[in-house]
Amino acid sequence: MESFSLEVRMLGEFSIRLNGQEITDSDNRSRKVWLLLAYMIYCRNRFISPEELVELLWGEEEGSSNPFNALKTMLHRVRAMLNQLGGGAGHDLIIRRDGSYAWNSDIPFTFDVDDFERLCKSASAAQEEEKLEQSLQALALYRGDFLSKLSAEPWVVPISAYFHNLYVQTVQETLHLLESRGRLNDAVSLCQTAVSIEPYNEEIYRHLMRDLLDLGEHRKAI
């Protein structure tokens, strides 16, 4: 790909966008195709053996009598899906070396997972004004939990829990900063978004009710 603008999102909907063309996991495609693609992107800094990919896709379930041929078929489907982005993207983005496979790390892309974590960590060490700005940027990237449609996959579970906890922590810190500046409408908006992602956190509900009361929105608070 001579010119490109590649974006990958895994927080909430899993999507890949290249030069205005996009594929998402809301498309009616095999779950295993998306699982294979997600794993290769997340583990993009190394080549992955066929044995590891077969274990990822089929584990102990009874699969094909020739799982390595089945894997080749699955990789062909992944590449075909990526080719919908244009320019033979599938063969540029999924590469093979010495029998192993990898996401092509030589092609730069923006990745919401990395950007979210970087902004959260940067905010934690920043002064208050900068902390608020970076925290709001981070929270805007969090459209839902990590790979929400693959949430039962064993490798996804701890990663999802880590980012979910980081999100809740950042929400709570940001609410205090917004409220201390009298930005109560912004705080209410953040609470409403946060409770749709984390509906069981009482602290966020307390912030929401208190901010609504301070705005005179007693009916909504009730």
Side-chain angles (χ1 to χ4, degrees), residues 8 16 20 60 74 76 157 173 179 183:
V8 177
I16 303 174
E60 296 181 356
M74 196 66 67
H76 174 77
V157 172
E173 292 173 354
E179 290 162 352
R183 293 175 57 177

Side-chain angles (χ1 to χ4, degrees), residues 128 132 136 171-191 203-215:
E128 281 200 358
L132 178 57
L136 289 171
V171 164
Q172 291 174 333
E173 292 173 354
T174 304
L175 286 172
H176 286 294
L177 292 172
L178 289 171
E179 290 162 352
S180 69
R181 286 159 175 74
R183 293 175 57 177
L184 299 185
N185 284 309
D186 291 334
V188 167
S189 178
L190 176 55
C191 286
E203 182 64 22
I204 297 174
Y205 282 102
R206 278 195 288 270
H207 278 280
L208 177 56
M209 289 186 287
R210 185 170 59 244
D211 294 337
L212 286 169
L213 288 171
D214 289 345
L215 286 167

Side-chain angles (χ1 to χ4, degrees), residues 101-118:
Y101 299 89
W103 178 262
N104 190 350
S105 60
D106 291 334
I107 297 177
F109 67 100
T110 61
F111 191 20
D112 63 346
V113 172
D114 285 352
D115 292 342
F116 172 73
E117 184 177 36
R118 173 182 52 79

Side-chain angles (χ1 to χ4, degrees), residues 24-214:
T24 79
D25 65 359
S26 61
D27 296 340
N28 187 24
R29 293 189 177 90
S30 165
R31 184 173 181 275
K32 281 185 166 57
V33 168
W34 286 105
L35 171 60
L36 176 58
L37 182 56
Y39 190 75
M40 295 189 74
I41 295 174
Y42 194 77
C43 301
R44 63 197 175 280
N45 295 319
R46 64 183 178 90
F47 277 82
I48 308 169
S49 71
E51 291 80 7
E52 183 176 344
L53 294 176
V54 165
E55 176 65 23
L56 168 77
L57 293 172
W58 293 286
E60 296 181 356
E61 71 180 68
E62 288 190 22
S64 168
S65 59
N66 192 330
F68 295 105
N69 273 346
L71 173 62
K72 288 179 181 178
T73 299
M74 196 66 67
L75 284 160
H76 174 77
R77 293 176 66 186
V78 169
R79 282 178 166 142
M81 184 170 70
L82 291 170
N83 282 340
Q84 295 181 27
L85 297 170
H91 286 276
D92 288 324
L93 293 170
I94 302 292
I95 56 177
R96 185 173 183 268
R97 182 184 300 164
D98 298 327
S100 294
Y101 299 89
W103 178 262
N104 190 350
S105 60
D106 291 334
I107 297 177
F109 67 100
T110 61
F111 191 20
D112 63 346
V113 172
D114 285 352
D115 292 342
F116 172 73
E117 184 177 36
R118 173 182 52 79
L119 284 164
C120 287
K121 289 183 175 180
S122 177
S124 67
Q127 298 297 319
E128 281 200 358
E129 235 10 270
E130 190 176 0
K131 179 183 181 71
L132 178 57
E133 177 68 22
Q134 292 177 347
S135 295
L136 289 171
Q137 289 177 32
L139 295 173
L141 293 172
Y142 202 95
R143 299 169 183 86
D145 287 336
F146 177 75
L147 292 175
S148 56
K149 292 185 179 177
L150 298 171
S151 59
E153 293 295 324
W155 72 274
V156 171
V157 172
I159 300 170
S160 178
Y162 166 74
F163 285 115
H164 183 92
N165 291 336
L166 184 57
Y167 171 76
V168 171
Q169 176 186 334
T170 305
V171 164
Q172 291 174 333
E173 292 173 354
T174 304
L175 286 172
H176 286 294
L177 292 172
L178 289 171
E179 290 162 352
S180 69
R181 286 159 175 74
R183 293 175 57 177
L184 299 185
N185 284 309
D186 291 334
V188 167
S189 178
L190 176 55
C191 286
Q192 290 170 335
T193 299
V195 296
S196 70
I197 294 172
E198 172 46 89
Y200 304 112
N201 187 293
E202 293 183 2
E203 182 64 22
I204 297 174
Y205 282 102
R206 278 195 288 270
H207 278 280
L208 177 56
M209 289 186 287
R210 185 170 59 244
D211 294 337
L212 286 169
L213 288 171
D214 289 345

